[in-house]
Amino acid sequence: EVLIFKNGEKRKENIHRYTKDAFIYWNKEESKIKLTVGLVNNIFKTTESSIELTIKEIKILLDDKSGILLDKIIYYIENESKDKISEFILKSKNNEHLYCFISVLREDFTNEDGYLYVGLLKNITTNKNLDEVRTCIRNYDITTGTVSKNFMKNIINRCLVECEKDVKFGALFLIDLDNFNFINDVYDYEVGDNLLHYVANKLKSNLSEDNIVGRFSADQFVVFNLQIRNMEEAESIARKILNILESPININGYNFYITASIGIAMSPHDGNDFNVLLKSADIAMHFVKKNGKNGYKFFNNKIYTELSKIFSLRKGLKKALKDDEMYVVFQPIISLSDYKMHEMESLIRWNSKKFG
């Protein structure tokens, strides 16, 4: 390829006509860079296929970080290094940002005009934009526009490290919309999604910037606040969330009255890790569900013990029939008027090996 550039002028022109990359040449004596074809017409207000620039002129097109990278690239070139790749952000002639990378492929030949071929400048803007879209999809929930579960987990874990280091309190609120599955069943999923989007916007717009709002699962949201000073402040936020949902919500011409069950876990008392706090908040939230919904509850060991017992009993009941632990007894019903048995009722008893 080098021989083509040096001795085959016609073939060189053909390559330049069809390539999307810019060829980079370096003139050490004059400290100038020459860019040929490719990006030249995208970046500069010129119809020419090549342009010569001083280092100062090309730095005007770069941000500070890219300017530092350019200095490193020139160092590589002057010290006869190669195979160095760096990413730049360039301003186009329309003041748009172009993401490019430069690959130093230094070859030991110099053109008659004193320029040395040193590498390629490639436009990777499309790939960068696609990466940003992928990042957005990965980090944000498409339905609600809030942060995604994994992204939220990483943010909160970083906050908890700061919380522990600076001896701060944090509060995690797990919000479960009550009876939300009925909305999907009676109407459709589009109505449900629009309702979730509305709730997310209400939470983001009505809660202060100190709160991180994210969608955790189908009809569950997580709110995390690192600026909590005491339980009273956390309780105030929980009441505010319930008040936000009090007003009727109109979606696609239908009015919905939404309530929520909220579990609250405090850091560091209930945990210093997202998963631990979430588990604690989930236990508190299920306690609210069990006791009528539309409320909030702080996690504590008492409700953990109570819910654990209920869970163990449910689990044991599933095995009871299989393990032949259930039996029936008959109890006579005696009339007080004649002291005779008129009927009997059957009762099922559970002789549990674990619970007695």
Side-chain angles (χ1 to χ4, degrees):
E1 189 170 327
V2 173
L3 292 175
I4 292 172
F5 288 165
K6 191 173 182 181
N7 301 321
E9 192 67 28
K10 186 174 181 181
R11 294 182 65 187
K12 171 184 169 184
E13 289 177 358
N14 287 337
I15 292 171
H16 283 186
R17 185 182 300 129
Y18 296 110
T19 185
K20 293 181 179 179
D21 302 333
F23 295 87
I24 309 168
Y25 299 88
W26 167 246
N27 188 319
K28 186 176 182 180
E29 299 297 324
E30 299 181 17
S31 292
K32 282 187 174 182
I33 290 175
K34 180 165 74 172
L35 298 175
T36 305
V37 301
L39 290 169
V40 171
N41 300 128
N42 294 95
I43 302 171
F44 307 101
K45 295 179 180 179
T46 179
T47 57
E48 300 295 325
S49 61
S50 67
I51 192 166
E52 296 180 17
L53 299 162
T54 63
I55 300 301
K56 185 177 180 180
E57 288 171 333
I58 200 167
K59 278 190 174 182
I60 294 173
L61 302 168
L62 305 173
D63 58 14
D64 293 338
K65 186 177 178 181
S66 296
I68 294 169
L69 284 171
L70 180 65
D71 291 335
K72 290 182 180 179
I73 292 291
I74 292 169
Y75 174 81
Y76 296 148
I77 294 168
E78 290 182 336
N79 289 275
E80 301 186 0
S81 300
K82 58 182 178 179
D83 298 325
K84 300 293 181 183
I85 297 176
S86 295
E87 191 175 296
F88 286 85
I89 298 176
L90 290 167
K91 286 183 183 177
S92 73
K93 59 187 177 184
N94 298 321
N95 283 327
E96 296 175 351
H97 284 107
L98 295 175
Y99 292 91
C100 310
F101 77 75
I102 184 171
S103 177
V104 180
L105 307 167
R106 178 190 175 96
E107 299 292 348
D108 295 324
F109 78 93
T110 305
N111 289 340
E112 294 176 358
D113 57 5
Y115 278 93
L116 172 72
Y117 169 66
V118 293
L120 294 170
L121 185 68
K122 190 176 184 70
N123 185 355
I124 58 169
T125 304
T126 301
N127 291 339
K128 270 289 182 181
N129 289 338
L130 287 173
D131 287 342
E132 288 178 4
V133 171
R134 293 188 191 103
T135 300
C136 185
I137 292 172
R138 188 168 58 248
N139 293 341
Y140 292 89
D141 179 69
I142 297 173
T143 302
T144 62
T146 61
V147 292
S148 66
K149 179 167 66 175
N150 289 332
F151 191 39
M152 176 174 54
K153 177 180 177 180
N154 292 334
I155 294 172
I156 292 176
N157 274 332
R158 287 200 296 269
C159 288
L160 289 170
V161 170
E162 181 185 335
C163 185
E164 188 175 15
K165 186 168 58 178
D166 298 338
V167 197
K168 294 181 180 178
F169 294 101
L172 187 146
F173 304 80
L174 180 61
I175 306 161
D176 186 283
L177 302 182
D178 297 326
N179 306 316
F180 184 81
N181 57 311
F182 291 126
I183 294 172
N184 284 333
D185 293 341
V186 175
Y187 300 92
D188 57 45
Y189 284 93
E190 182 182 355
V191 172
D193 287 349
N194 290 339
L195 182 57
L196 290 172
H197 187 267
Y198 182 91
V199 170
N201 283 341
K202 291 284 281 184
L203 291 172
K204 288 189 292 183
S205 60
N206 285 276
L207 296 176
S208 67
E209 293 182 356
D210 295 334
N211 296 280
I212 299 167
V213 179
R215 184 187 180 195
F216 181 72
S217 63
D219 57 355
Q220 291 183 336
F221 292 89
V222 165
V223 172
F224 180 79
N225 189 302
L226 188 60
Q227 305 298 326
I228 295 291
R229 287 176 293 187
N230 49 53
M231 291 181 70
E232 287 74 20
E233 286 190 0
E235 190 172 11
S236 176
I237 292 173
R239 285 198 299 267
K240 188 172 185 178
I241 293 169
L242 293 176
N243 290 336
I244 288 170
L245 301 175
E246 269 189 352
S247 302
I249 301 171
N250 187 281
I251 302 292
N252 295 10
Y254 302 105
N255 282 330
F256 296 98
Y257 293 85
I258 298 296
T259 61
S261 300
I262 306 172
I264 311 168
M266 301 288 291
S267 171
H269 180 71
D270 299 325
N272 280 321
D273 173 81
F274 174 80
N275 289 332
V276 176
L277 280 178
L278 183 70
K279 180 182 177 183
S280 299
D282 186 62
I283 290 169
M285 182 270 292
H286 277 95
F287 185 87
V288 178
K289 290 277 190 189
K290 176 177 169 289
N291 289 276
K293 306 177 182 178
N294 191 26
Y296 60 86
K297 182 72 177 177
F298 286 90
F299 171 80
N300 59 59
N301 288 326
K302 184 179 178 181
I303 62 173
Y304 172 72
T305 302
E306 183 178 334
L307 288 175
S308 293
K309 183 179 179 181
I310 292 170
F311 176 78
S312 297
L313 287 170
R314 287 178 178 176
K315 185 178 177 182
L317 277 170
K318 288 183 178 180
K319 293 183 62 182
L321 282 173
K322 183 180 177 182
D323 295 344
D324 200 25
E325 294 179 350
M326 311 292 284
Y327 63 94
V328 178
V329 295
F330 295 94
Q331 181 170 294
I333 298 176
I334 308 294
S335 173
L336 293 178
S337 61
D338 58 10
Y339 301 102
K340 292 182 179 179
M341 182 185 73
H342 292 273
E343 55 186 28
M344 299 183 72
E345 64 178 5
S346 61
L347 303 172
I348 188 166
R349 304 291 190 187
W350 179 17
N351 184 22
S352 171
K353 295 174 183 175
K354 182 177 180 180
F355 302 105

